[in-house]
Amino acid sequence: QVQLVESGGRLVQAGDSLRLSCAASGGTFSSYAMGWFRQAPGKEREFVATFSTSGGTTYYTDSVKGRFTISRDNAKNTVYLQMNSLRPEDTAVYYCAAARRAYYPGGYYVTGEGDYYYWGQGTQVTVSS
């Protein structure tokens, strides 16, 4: 069983940068595909970013490409989301999630919410205009 705890969310102004962290415990971190999702007020939760199951490349939803960067530190069992040039429409609760890599082929991007079995409690990011 994997436990995920997000941190780093806060109120920022448009154009600011913010780094979210997700600390994992209770499992073999390297065996999980990790992803970030977000849920804005009144909207469904949406995919934001993930790594390929091979770990070599990353994949982002179109609205954050060029602004957000996902990274992971397996030694610290932590995944990060660096968010630059933040916009008011980035306001949301951000969740990290874990899926078992063994369930997917190499080089695959796990982007479906239903594919992720473990979820953190979320961290609020608010971007003021």
Side-chain angles (χ1 to χ4, degrees), residues 16 19 38 58 96 104 106 119:
D16 284 352
R19 189 177 80 161
R38 67 184 180 184
T58 54
C96 72
Y104 304 93
W119 293 85

Side-chain angles (χ1 to χ4, degrees), residues 111-128:
T111 62
E113 182 178 355
D115 292 319
Y116 285 87
Y117 192 76
Y118 300 104
W119 293 85
Q121 83 289 348
T123 186
Q124 176 71 49
V125 173
T126 303
V127 185
S128 65

